[in-house]
Amino acid sequence: MKTTAIDYIIETTHLTKKYGKRLAVDDLSFQIKPGQTLGLLGPNGAGKSTTIRMLMGLAKPTSGSATIFGLDLTTQTKQIQSQIGVVFEKPNLYENLSGYENLATFCRLFKRPLSLIRPLLERMDLWDRATEPVKVYSKGMRQRILILRALVHQPQLLFLDEPCSGLDPVSSRIIRDYLLDLKQSGVTILLTSHDMEEVDELCDLIGFINNGKLIALSEKNTLKAAYGSYSIKIIYRKDHELIQEVMIPTPENLLRLSELYSSHQVVSLHSMEASLSETFRKLSALP
Ligand code: ATP
């Protein structure tokens, strides 16, 4: 598949989805360039999953349009679906088949060589468990198989709905490292997550949805600078004790800081960038 000739991998225009009277997604227009990683954030029920479901061709837009790889979402759905990777639905692996066989089934389906499987399983630290049935796998192992399964046909666009939700730190780390490698290799990724640390690490673009509306979409650092505030971490000595404080640089705090500094009590001083959690809280509070 060629993606070099198109400006945007995803382009939506006034995309809208109603369930009865409920407006789940409201007039969404945005574009994603090849190789970008977009984290779609928002409170529960904001419309993130519905957006992804529409983009995957699983929910029909009520109005508006979208193109994926330059293909029309409503008339070229099958063509789009054959070129995207999806980790979205509840785990639907073949429970009695091994991890290897689950991937082999998809290799056969997509006419890909079985020789792909071993390096994939090794990359996700699953090769030594490859022959065991999936029904004995842990949640983290299943999720790793689901991600690999979505990648067997080497899609250039990957949709992930909360990829590491409820996973232990080891599985999360393996998955995140793998996603970072995919990103590095130019795969475009759209993911939803409630884990701000994960989004911060993986995404370069952040879209924030609330009540179905896209309230903000921009580079992560631009968004943090606009809605978050930088803070200063200071460690100083007082009565032979070391005290650590994190302060927002208000005029009063800066004055106090300079007083501490001139009295030689400061041991260390670091500026800390605005957190995505704070940005999320501020965006959620917008009317
Ligand atoms: P979460 O973070 O909890 O996964 P979300 O941002 O993904 O939430 P959606 O699942 O997209 O939110 O839901 C958006 C709105 O659409 C909610 O009010 C939800 O109840 C409603 N909704 C979603 N799917 C359906 C459906 N099949 N039928 C009716 N209403 C639905």
Short mmCIF file of all heavy atoms in Angstrom, two decimals, residues 52-99:
data_model
loop_
_atom_site.label_atom_id
_atom_site.label_comp_id
_atom_site.label_asym_id
_atom_site.label_seq_id
_atom_site.Cartn_x
_atom_site.Cartn_y
_atom_site.Cartn_z
N ILE A 52 -13.69 6.07 17.05
CA ILE A 52 -12.83 5.02 16.47
C ILE A 52 -13.69 3.99 15.74
O ILE A 52 -13.34 3.53 14.66
CB ILE A 52 -11.96 4.35 17.56
CG1 ILE A 52 -11.00 5.38 18.16
CG2 ILE A 52 -11.17 3.21 16.96
CD1 ILE A 52 -9.86 4.78 18.94
N ARG A 53 -14.82 3.63 16.33
CA ARG A 53 -15.70 2.64 15.67
C ARG A 53 -16.13 3.14 14.29
O ARG A 53 -16.20 2.37 13.34
CB ARG A 53 -16.94 2.37 16.54
CG ARG A 53 -16.65 1.48 17.74
CD ARG A 53 -17.90 1.29 18.57
NE ARG A 53 -18.93 0.56 17.83
CZ ARG A 53 -18.95 -0.75 17.64
NH1 ARG A 53 -18.00 -1.49 18.15
NH2 ARG A 53 -19.90 -1.32 16.95
N MET A 54 -16.42 4.43 14.19
CA MET A 54 -16.80 4.98 12.87
C MET A 54 -15.61 4.89 11.91
O MET A 54 -15.77 4.49 10.75
CB MET A 54 -17.25 6.44 13.01
CG MET A 54 -18.67 6.57 13.51
SD MET A 54 -19.34 8.21 13.24
CE MET A 54 -18.53 9.14 14.51
N LEU A 55 -14.42 5.25 12.40
CA LEU A 55 -13.25 5.26 11.52
C LEU A 55 -12.86 3.86 11.06
O LEU A 55 -12.23 3.68 10.02
CB LEU A 55 -12.06 5.94 12.22
CG LEU A 55 -12.26 7.43 12.53
CD1 LEU A 55 -11.06 7.99 13.29
CD2 LEU A 55 -12.49 8.22 11.24
N MET A 56 -13.24 2.86 11.88
CA MET A 56 -12.95 1.48 11.51
C MET A 56 -14.04 0.90 10.62
O MET A 56 -13.97 -0.26 10.21
CB MET A 56 -12.87 0.61 12.78
CG MET A 56 -11.60 0.83 13.54
SD MET A 56 -11.69 0.25 15.26
CE MET A 56 -12.92 -0.99 15.20
N GLY A 57 -15.10 1.68 10.39
CA GLY A 57 -16.20 1.19 9.57
C GLY A 57 -17.17 0.30 10.33
O GLY A 57 -17.97 -0.42 9.73
N LEU A 58 -17.13 0.34 11.66
CA LEU A 58 -18.03 -0.50 12.46
C LEU A 58 -19.30 0.23 12.89
O LEU A 58 -20.27 -0.40 13.30
CB LEU A 58 -17.32 -1.02 13.73
CG LEU A 58 -16.18 -1.99 13.51
CD1 LEU A 58 -15.59 -2.44 14.83
CD2 LEU A 58 -16.64 -3.21 12.70
N ALA A 59 -19.28 1.56 12.87
CA ALA A 59 -20.49 2.34 13.18
C ALA A 59 -20.68 3.33 12.04
O ALA A 59 -19.71 3.99 11.62
CB ALA A 59 -20.31 3.08 14.51
N LYS A 60 -21.91 3.39 11.55
CA LYS A 60 -22.17 4.24 10.38
C LYS A 60 -22.38 5.68 10.84
O LYS A 60 -23.20 5.93 11.74
CB LYS A 60 -23.45 3.73 9.70
CG LYS A 60 -23.63 4.20 8.29
CD LYS A 60 -24.78 3.40 7.65
CE LYS A 60 -25.10 3.91 6.28
NZ LYS A 60 -25.74 5.19 6.24
N PRO A 61 -21.64 6.63 10.27
CA PRO A 61 -21.86 8.03 10.66
C PRO A 61 -23.30 8.46 10.34
O PRO A 61 -23.85 8.04 9.32
CB PRO A 61 -20.88 8.82 9.80
CG PRO A 61 -19.90 7.84 9.28
CD PRO A 61 -20.58 6.51 9.25
N THR A 62 -23.88 9.28 11.21
CA THR A 62 -25.22 9.83 10.93
C THR A 62 -25.09 10.90 9.86
O THR A 62 -25.94 11.03 8.98
CB THR A 62 -25.81 10.44 12.23
OG1 THR A 62 -25.69 9.47 13.26
CG2 THR A 62 -27.27 10.83 12.03
N SER A 63 -24.03 11.68 9.94
CA SER A 63 -23.73 12.66 8.88
C SER A 63 -22.24 12.97 8.89
O SER A 63 -21.51 12.53 9.78
CB SER A 63 -24.55 13.94 9.09
OG SER A 63 -24.24 14.50 10.34
N GLY A 64 -21.81 13.69 7.89
CA GLY A 64 -20.39 13.99 7.76
C GLY A 64 -19.68 12.90 6.98
O GLY A 64 -20.31 11.92 6.56
N SER A 65 -18.38 13.06 6.78
CA SER A 65 -17.64 12.08 5.99
C SER A 65 -16.23 11.93 6.52
O SER A 65 -15.77 12.72 7.35
CB SER A 65 -17.61 12.54 4.53
OG SER A 65 -16.96 13.80 4.45
N ALA A 66 -15.56 10.90 6.03
CA ALA A 66 -14.17 10.70 6.41
C ALA A 66 -13.45 9.92 5.32
O ALA A 66 -14.07 9.13 4.61
CB ALA A 66 -14.09 9.92 7.73
N THR A 67 -12.16 10.17 5.20
CA THR A 67 -11.33 9.34 4.34
C THR A 67 -10.21 8.75 5.18
O THR A 67 -9.70 9.38 6.10
CB THR A 67 -10.71 10.13 3.16
OG1 THR A 67 -9.91 11.18 3.70
CG2 THR A 67 -11.75 10.71 2.23
N ILE A 68 -9.87 7.50 4.85
CA ILE A 68 -8.73 6.82 5.47
C ILE A 68 -7.84 6.39 4.32
O ILE A 68 -8.34 5.76 3.37
CB ILE A 68 -9.17 5.57 6.27
CG1 ILE A 68 -10.36 5.86 7.19
CG2 ILE A 68 -8.01 4.93 7.00
CD1 ILE A 68 -10.05 6.39 8.55
N PHE A 69 -6.57 6.72 4.37
CA PHE A 69 -5.63 6.49 3.24
C PHE A 69 -6.19 7.14 1.96
O PHE A 69 -5.97 6.64 0.86
CB PHE A 69 -5.44 4.99 2.94
CG PHE A 69 -5.07 4.13 4.10
CD1 PHE A 69 -5.90 3.09 4.49
CD2 PHE A 69 -3.89 4.33 4.81
CE1 PHE A 69 -5.57 2.26 5.55
CE2 PHE A 69 -3.56 3.51 5.88
CZ PHE A 69 -4.40 2.48 6.24
N GLY A 70 -6.99 8.17 2.09
CA GLY A 70 -7.58 8.81 0.92
C GLY A 70 -8.80 8.06 0.39
O GLY A 70 -9.39 8.47 -0.61
N LEU A 71 -9.19 6.95 1.06
CA LEU A 71 -10.35 6.17 0.60
C LEU A 71 -11.58 6.61 1.38
O LEU A 71 -11.49 6.93 2.57
CB LEU A 71 -10.11 4.67 0.86
CG LEU A 71 -8.89 4.05 0.18
CD1 LEU A 71 -8.60 2.66 0.75
CD2 LEU A 71 -9.12 3.97 -1.33
N ASP A 72 -12.73 6.59 0.69
CA ASP A 72 -13.95 7.05 1.33
C ASP A 72 -14.47 6.01 2.33
O ASP A 72 -14.63 4.84 2.00
CB ASP A 72 -15.02 7.32 0.27
CG ASP A 72 -16.29 7.85 0.92
OD1 ASP A 72 -16.32 9.05 1.23
OD2 ASP A 72 -17.22 7.05 1.16
N LEU A 73 -14.73 6.47 3.55
CA LEU A 73 -15.10 5.56 4.63
C LEU A 73 -16.40 4.81 4.36
O LEU A 73 -16.52 3.64 4.72
CB LEU A 73 -15.21 6.35 5.94
CG LEU A 73 -15.47 5.56 7.21
CD1 LEU A 73 -14.36 4.57 7.49
CD2 LEU A 73 -15.62 6.50 8.41
N THR A 74 -17.35 5.44 3.74
CA THR A 74 -18.64 4.76 3.56
C THR A 74 -18.70 3.90 2.30
O THR A 74 -19.35 2.86 2.31
CB THR A 74 -19.83 5.76 3.55
OG1 THR A 74 -19.45 6.89 2.78
CG2 THR A 74 -20.20 6.20 4.93
N THR A 75 -17.98 4.28 1.26
CA THR A 75 -18.10 3.48 0.02
C THR A 75 -16.92 2.52 -0.17
O THR A 75 -17.01 1.60 -0.97
CB THR A 75 -18.19 4.41 -1.22
OG1 THR A 75 -17.02 5.24 -1.25
CG2 THR A 75 -19.43 5.27 -1.18
N GLN A 76 -15.81 2.75 0.55
CA GLN A 76 -14.64 1.88 0.36
C GLN A 76 -14.23 1.20 1.67
O GLN A 76 -13.05 0.98 1.93
CB GLN A 76 -13.49 2.70 -0.23
CG GLN A 76 -13.82 3.22 -1.63
CD GLN A 76 -12.77 4.19 -2.15
OE1 GLN A 76 -12.63 5.29 -1.63
NE2 GLN A 76 -12.03 3.79 -3.15
N THR A 77 -15.25 0.89 2.48
CA THR A 77 -15.01 0.37 3.83
C THR A 77 -14.15 -0.90 3.83
O THR A 77 -13.20 -1.00 4.60
CB THR A 77 -16.37 0.05 4.52
OG1 THR A 77 -17.27 1.11 4.23
CG2 THR A 77 -16.21 -0.07 6.01
N LYS A 78 -14.50 -1.85 2.98
CA LYS A 78 -13.77 -3.15 2.97
C LYS A 78 -12.29 -2.94 2.64
O LYS A 78 -11.42 -3.53 3.27
CB LYS A 78 -14.40 -4.08 1.93
CG LYS A 78 -15.74 -4.66 2.35
CD LYS A 78 -15.53 -6.02 3.01
CE LYS A 78 -16.79 -6.64 3.58
NZ LYS A 78 -17.49 -5.82 4.56
N GLN A 79 -12.06 -2.07 1.67
CA GLN A 79 -10.68 -1.79 1.26
C GLN A 79 -9.89 -1.18 2.43
O GLN A 79 -8.74 -1.52 2.67
CB GLN A 79 -10.72 -0.78 0.12
CG GLN A 79 -9.79 -1.09 -1.01
CD GLN A 79 -10.01 -0.11 -2.14
OE1 GLN A 79 -11.16 0.19 -2.48
NE2 GLN A 79 -8.93 0.40 -2.71
N ILE A 80 -10.55 -0.28 3.17
CA ILE A 80 -9.91 0.35 4.32
C ILE A 80 -9.65 -0.71 5.39
O ILE A 80 -8.54 -0.82 5.93
CB ILE A 80 -10.80 1.48 4.91
CG1 ILE A 80 -10.89 2.64 3.92
CG2 ILE A 80 -10.26 1.95 6.26
CD1 ILE A 80 -11.92 3.70 4.29
N GLN A 81 -10.68 -1.53 5.66
CA GLN A 81 -10.55 -2.52 6.74
C GLN A 81 -9.41 -3.51 6.50
O GLN A 81 -8.79 -3.99 7.44
CB GLN A 81 -11.87 -3.26 6.94
CG GLN A 81 -12.88 -2.39 7.69
CD GLN A 81 -14.27 -2.99 7.74
OE1 GLN A 81 -14.62 -3.84 6.92
NE2 GLN A 81 -15.07 -2.55 8.69
N SER A 82 -9.13 -3.79 5.22
CA SER A 82 -8.06 -4.75 4.93
C SER A 82 -6.68 -4.13 5.17
O SER A 82 -5.67 -4.83 5.17
CB SER A 82 -8.18 -5.25 3.49
OG SER A 82 -7.87 -4.19 2.61
N GLN A 83 -6.64 -2.83 5.37
CA GLN A 83 -5.34 -2.15 5.50
C GLN A 83 -5.09 -1.56 6.89
O GLN A 83 -4.09 -0.87 7.09
CB GLN A 83 -5.25 -1.01 4.48
CG GLN A 83 -5.31 -1.49 3.04
CD GLN A 83 -5.29 -0.34 2.07
OE1 GLN A 83 -4.71 0.71 2.33
NE2 GLN A 83 -5.90 -0.52 0.92
N ILE A 84 -6.03 -1.75 7.81
CA ILE A 84 -5.81 -1.18 9.15
C ILE A 84 -5.61 -2.30 10.18
O ILE A 84 -6.06 -3.43 9.97
CB ILE A 84 -7.00 -0.28 9.61
CG1 ILE A 84 -8.32 -1.07 9.62
CG2 ILE A 84 -7.12 0.94 8.74
CD1 ILE A 84 -9.50 -0.28 10.15
N GLY A 85 -4.96 -1.97 11.26
CA GLY A 85 -4.82 -2.89 12.38
C GLY A 85 -5.70 -2.38 13.51
O GLY A 85 -5.76 -1.17 13.74
N VAL A 86 -6.38 -3.31 14.18
CA VAL A 86 -7.35 -2.90 15.18
C VAL A 86 -7.20 -3.70 16.47
O VAL A 86 -7.20 -4.93 16.43
CB VAL A 86 -8.78 -3.12 14.61
CG1 VAL A 86 -9.82 -2.89 15.68
CG2 VAL A 86 -9.03 -2.22 13.42
N VAL A 87 -7.04 -3.01 17.58
CA VAL A 87 -7.07 -3.68 18.89
C VAL A 87 -8.15 -2.95 19.66
O VAL A 87 -7.92 -1.90 20.24
CB VAL A 87 -5.72 -3.58 19.62
CG1 VAL A 87 -5.76 -4.34 20.94
CG2 VAL A 87 -4.60 -4.09 18.74
N PHE A 88 -9.34 -3.49 19.61
CA PHE A 88 -10.46 -2.69 20.04
C PHE A 88 -11.54 -3.48 20.75
O PHE A 88 -11.89 -3.21 21.89
CB PHE A 88 -11.07 -2.04 18.79
CG PHE A 88 -12.07 -0.98 19.11
CD1 PHE A 88 -11.65 0.24 19.61
CD2 PHE A 88 -13.42 -1.20 18.94
CE1 PHE A 88 -12.57 1.22 19.91
CE2 PHE A 88 -14.35 -0.22 19.23
CZ PHE A 88 -13.91 0.99 19.72
N GLU A 89 -12.04 -4.50 20.03
CA GLU A 89 -13.15 -5.26 20.59
C GLU A 89 -12.66 -6.05 21.81
O GLU A 89 -11.48 -6.16 22.06
CB GLU A 89 -13.69 -6.22 19.52
CG GLU A 89 -14.25 -5.54 18.30
CD GLU A 89 -15.46 -4.68 18.64
OE1 GLU A 89 -16.27 -5.09 19.48
OE2 GLU A 89 -15.59 -3.59 18.06
N LYS A 90 -13.63 -6.58 22.55
CA LYS A 90 -13.26 -7.46 23.67
C LYS A 90 -12.42 -8.60 23.09
O LYS A 90 -12.63 -9.00 21.95
CB LYS A 90 -14.52 -8.02 24.31
CG LYS A 90 -15.30 -6.96 25.03
CD LYS A 90 -16.34 -7.56 25.95
CE LYS A 90 -17.04 -6.49 26.74
NZ LYS A 90 -17.86 -5.59 25.89
N PRO A 91 -11.46 -9.11 23.88
CA PRO A 91 -10.58 -10.15 23.34
C PRO A 91 -11.37 -11.28 22.68
O PRO A 91 -12.24 -11.87 23.31
CB PRO A 91 -9.84 -10.67 24.58
CG PRO A 91 -9.91 -9.55 25.55
CD PRO A 91 -11.16 -8.78 25.26
N ASN A 92 -11.10 -11.52 21.41
CA ASN A 92 -11.84 -12.56 20.69
C ASN A 92 -10.84 -13.52 20.07
O ASN A 92 -10.87 -13.78 18.88
CB ASN A 92 -12.77 -11.95 19.63
CG ASN A 92 -12.03 -11.00 18.72
OD1 ASN A 92 -10.87 -10.69 18.94
ND2 ASN A 92 -12.68 -10.55 17.66
N LEU A 93 -9.93 -14.02 20.92
CA LEU A 93 -8.93 -14.97 20.45
C LEU A 93 -9.54 -16.37 20.43
O LEU A 93 -10.54 -16.62 21.10
CB LEU A 93 -7.72 -14.93 21.39
CG LEU A 93 -6.96 -13.60 21.42
CD1 LEU A 93 -6.05 -13.51 22.64
CD2 LEU A 93 -6.16 -13.42 20.14
N TYR A 94 -8.91 -17.27 19.69
CA TYR A 94 -9.33 -18.67 19.73
C TYR A 94 -8.73 -19.28 20.99
O TYR A 94 -7.52 -19.55 21.05
CB TYR A 94 -8.86 -19.41 18.48
CG TYR A 94 -9.45 -18.86 17.20
CD1 TYR A 94 -8.69 -18.14 16.29
CD2 TYR A 94 -10.81 -19.07 16.91
CE1 TYR A 94 -9.24 -17.64 15.12
CE2 TYR A 94 -11.37 -18.57 15.74
CZ TYR A 94 -10.59 -17.86 14.86
OH TYR A 94 -11.13 -17.35 13.71
N GLU A 95 -9.57 -19.50 21.99
CA GLU A 95 -9.10 -19.89 23.33
C GLU A 95 -8.37 -21.23 23.35
O GLU A 95 -7.43 -21.41 24.13
CB GLU A 95 -10.29 -19.95 24.29
CG GLU A 95 -10.92 -18.60 24.59
CD GLU A 95 -10.02 -17.70 25.43
OE1 GLU A 95 -9.41 -18.20 26.39
OE2 GLU A 95 -9.92 -16.51 25.10
N ASN A 96 -8.83 -22.17 22.52
CA ASN A 96 -8.21 -23.51 22.57
C ASN A 96 -6.96 -23.62 21.70
O ASN A 96 -6.24 -24.61 21.78
CB ASN A 96 -9.22 -24.59 22.16
CG ASN A 96 -10.29 -24.72 23.23
OD1 ASN A 96 -10.00 -24.66 24.43
ND2 ASN A 96 -11.53 -24.85 22.81
N LEU A 97 -6.74 -22.61 20.88
CA LEU A 97 -5.53 -22.62 20.05
C LEU A 97 -4.40 -21.92 20.80
O LEU A 97 -4.63 -21.08 21.68
CB LEU A 97 -5.78 -21.90 18.73
CG LEU A 97 -6.79 -22.51 17.76
CD1 LEU A 97 -6.81 -21.72 16.45
CD2 LEU A 97 -6.48 -23.98 17.50
N SER A 98 -3.19 -22.28 20.42
CA SER A 98 -2.02 -21.63 21.04
C SER A 98 -1.87 -20.20 20.53
O SER A 98 -2.50 -19.82 19.52
CB SER A 98 -0.76 -22.42 20.70
OG SER A 98 -0.52 -22.32 19.32
N GLY A 99 -1.00 -19.45 21.20
CA GLY A 99 -0.69 -18.09 20.74
C GLY A 99 -0.17 -18.15 19.31
O GLY A 99 -0.57 -17.35 18.46
#
